[in-house]
Amino acid sequence: MNRFIFLAPVGLFAAVVIAFAAGLGRDPTKLPSTLIDKPLPKFDLPAVRPGDVGLKSGDETGEPRLLNVFASWCVSCKIEHPVLLELKARGVPIDGLDWKDEAVDGAKYLAGQGDPYRLAGNDKSGRAGIDLGVAGVPETFLVDRRGRVRYKHIGPISPEDWSGTIKPLMDRLRVEG
Amino acid sequence: MRRATLLLFALLALAGPARAVLPGEQLADPKLEARARAIGAQLRCLVCQNQSIDDSDASLASDLRVILRERLRAGDTDRQAIDYIVQRYGHYVLLNPPFEAETLLLWLGPALILVAGGVWVATLTRRAHRVEEPSPALTPDEQAQLVKRLDAESAS
């Protein structure tokens, strides 16, 4: 046993390397949501699209849906946008929350880029977003049929995020009681 | 001239670090504003994560400073105002992490490493002392052999 004691620092070094390597691979901007398994906070937002109804919490349709936080000034939202349009085409209900933005700019953005949203509300002051714990856009919440947040995705949704993580979760929520 | 330079540097030394708190955000009541500053310095900005909301120019940090002041003006205690923001963004916003099960290793880790190092050093020193035991004296037989050899060597 004592003959191999000189290997102890090597072992310790290896352990530290493994711990640091695991830490480096984690994205510090991806914070866990405090809302998981809790109902959406109360909000009642005016429409983004002219003549539309807007968005309020408690708008439950009895099926799971996505709540996508976006803004016309958000660059990575433009990367995500084609994915959202494709999801809409596949019949996935997506609601939009236009965060810290003017409704006019939000409407212009949707008119220009295409509109993937079922309901869309304008959160000019950003308070609804802050109540949701939004730190940046885009962020997307998976809301179950009873209006509880079940999952939060930070950053643009890639096709892999959809097929690998969000779709399986949504399918599971669809069959649960 | 020299005195003026000295005075200039003395005044510069008095200047506090610049904060991002904007004049429009500040409260009229200096006591409340002081409390808001003390809390703001402890809350992490979610956008530029190693700055406090008081240090950050991000618009979300500004929103949080305004919300914090609203809470204080509404009569919240410091604790309640902090909890309001923690409820939304989690414990991560606290630049001073709380002492709880999840952060046990963070708080106790350094002490554990210190204790482990102390034990290690203690064992090493004890072992080093053990080596210094005096070697047993030569037996009369060995003594005789040694004398014989030395004689033989000096004779040659």
Side-chain angles (χ1 to χ4, degrees), chain B residues 69-143:
Chain B
R69 282 162 177 76
E70 267 177 27
R71 299 309 310 166
L72 292 180
R73 234 181 6 201
D76 271 16
T77 63
D78 291 3
R79 185 76 258 155
Q80 286 167 329
I82 291 171
D83 284 347
Y84 184 88
I85 297 190
V86 168
Q87 245 174 42
R88 283 153 182 76
Y89 290 101
H91 280 142
Y92 185 76
V93 293
L94 300 173
L95 284 169
N96 240 337
F99 189 84
E100 52 179 27
E102 232 175 278
T103 56
L104 221 53
L105 198 61
L106 180 69
W107 282 103
L108 300 184
L112 281 178
I113 290 173
L114 188 69
V115 169
V119 169
W120 187 51
V121 169
T123 357
L124 277 189
T125 38
R126 204 181 307 157
R127 204 182 296 163
H129 279 301
R130 215 182 299 150
V131 180
E132 282 169 28
E133 280 170 29
S135 43
L138 294 179
T139 61
D141 195 29
E142 285 169 333
Q143 186 71 39

Side-chain angles (χ1 to χ4, degrees), chain A residues 1-173:
Chain A
M1 164 63 207
N2 269 340
R3 269 173 57 207
F4 295 105
I5 198 83
F6 71 93
L7 283 178
V10 181
L12 201 66
F13 177 70
V16 168
V17 165
I18 291 169
F20 283 176
L24 273 177
R26 277 178 20 193
D27 183 348
T29 60
K30 301 213 160 149
L31 302 176
S33 172
T34 57
L35 280 177
I36 300 301
D37 292 334
K38 293 198 186 120
L40 282 175
K42 272 198 178 47
F43 54 81
D44 188 355
L45 300 171
V48 176
R49 302 168 288 214
D52 191 25
V53 286
L55 177 70
K56 61 175 196 279
S57 51
D59 275 348
E60 304 319 325
T61 51
E63 63 170 339
R65 64 192 159 108
L66 297 178
L67 173 60
N68 177 247
V69 183
F70 74 102
S72 67
W73 47 264
C74 158
V75 180
S76 35
C77 297
K78 296 198 173 75
I79 301 170
E80 177 182 61
H81 214 75
V83 178
L84 296 180
L85 289 172
E86 172 61 27
L87 294 185
K88 187 204 178 188
R90 294 189 195 177
V92 179
I94 312 172
D95 293 338
L97 192 153
D98 183 18
W99 193 52
K100 285 165 82 66
D101 203 4
E102 298 286 342
V104 192
D105 296 332
K108 217 182 287 169
Y109 173 79
L110 293 182
Q113 306 270 324
D115 186 348
Y117 302 119
R118 187 178 67 106
L119 300 170
N122 173 253
D123 180 22
K124 189 177 165 185
S125 71
R127 287 303 173 89
I130 287 172
D131 286 344
L132 281 163
V134 170
V137 268
E139 282 186 13
T140 305
F141 296 85
L142 174 54
V143 182
D144 72 10
R145 64 174 75 201
R146 286 195 281 163
R148 287 175 310 182
V149 173
R150 300 298 289 270
Y151 179 76
K152 176 184 180 182
H153 181 88
I154 294 171
I157 298 174
S158 67
E160 293 74 34
D161 292 327
W162 168 250
S163 56
T165 312
I166 305 174
K167 183 174 188 295
L169 270 172
M170 215 163 175
D171 287 343
R172 219 163 60 216
L173 292 188

